[in-house]
Amino acid sequence: MQGIAVMNFWDMYQCWQTKHLHNSPRSRSKFAVICQVKSPITTKLYWFTVEFGLCKQNGIIKAYGAGLLSSYGELIHSLSDEPELRDFDPDATAVQPYQDQTYQPVYFVSESFSDAKAKLRAYAARIKRPFSVKYDPYTFSIELLDSPQKIHRSLANVRDELHLLIDALNIIS
């Protein structure tokens, strides 16, 4: 079960990286993507998910944010009765002020990693930008899709990978 949670978190994290690029094709480094997003809205979304996110697992609230997992005091605080827990909604999360000098007074709880990822994707789809991006798990990089040629090349790679997987399935079936 822990491996599944790690992979689901990784999927959500990759969703974050690829969906929340600053509106400039020049913002290509992972540091720029993750930490130096110029929008206070996307910074707050990052803060309340990747850093201080809570998620339900079998109905029990658990911490997954790196900021929570690296601070025993904040972890205990986040799971106590003291802070306000709200359902994760990107629109509400994007305008919630965060605290960087003391424990958070508010945390957002996702129903699951899949739910959080779906909500982040839907929110990000509304962000207007003249390009799209795709995470490449083989090179651990983010590919900018800003021309028809790049999109065709990416589709050809997906087609090749799909044929490889179909062949592998036929071999073992």
Side-chain angles (χ1 to χ4, degrees):
M1 190 65 132
Q2 286 179 333
I4 292 170
V6 168
M7 288 308 296
N8 285 335
F9 175 75
W10 184 247
D11 286 347
M12 190 175 78
Y13 184 69
Q14 293 309 321
C15 170
W16 176 264
Q17 286 186 318
T18 59
K19 295 296 181 182
H20 297 288
L21 278 168
H22 184 278
N23 286 331
S24 165
R26 290 183 170 72
S27 297
R28 294 182 188 206
S29 77
K30 284 193 176 187
F31 187 76
V33 173
I34 298 168
C35 302
Q36 298 298 314
V37 177
K38 301 295 186 216
S39 166
I41 290 171
T42 54
T43 300
K44 290 174 184 175
L45 282 168
Y46 184 86
W47 184 269
F48 284 112
T49 56
V50 174
E51 290 297 331
F52 292 93
L54 296 173
C55 185
K56 291 181 184 174
Q57 183 179 32
N58 299 325
I60 299 169
I61 296 175
K62 298 192 175 190
Y64 70 85
L68 290 174
L69 298 176
S70 66
S71 169
Y72 180 76
E74 181 120 17
L75 177 62
I76 296 300
H77 170 76
S78 71
L79 299 173
S80 74
D81 293 332
E82 191 173 333
E84 179 183 351
L85 301 183
R86 298 180 186 167
D87 291 337
F88 177 63
D89 169 20
D91 290 305
T93 306
V95 296
Q96 175 65 37
Y98 63 85
Q99 181 53 252
D100 63 357
Q101 300 298 314
T102 186
Y103 299 148
Q104 302 304 308
V106 174
Y107 296 92
F108 292 90
V109 182
S110 300
E111 288 299 314
S112 66
F113 282 124
S114 296
D115 180 61
K117 188 168 67 168
K119 287 179 178 178
L120 279 173
R121 284 185 192 273
Y123 182 86
R126 298 189 329 243
I127 298 173
K128 302 296 181 215
R129 53 183 185 209
F131 60 91
S132 190
V133 291
K134 178 179 90 74
Y135 178 73
D136 183 340
Y138 300 114
T139 61
F140 303 107
S141 63
I142 295 171
E143 182 181 355
L144 193 63
L145 300 174
D146 59 352
S147 72
Q149 296 84 3
K150 288 182 181 179
I151 295 168
H152 284 295
R153 186 173 50 242
S154 186
L155 284 170
N157 291 340
V158 169
R159 185 180 55 241
D160 292 345
E161 179 115 0
L162 185 57
H163 287 302
L164 179 90
L165 292 172
I166 289 170
D167 290 344
L169 186 58
N170 288 334
I171 290 169
I172 64 171
S173 295

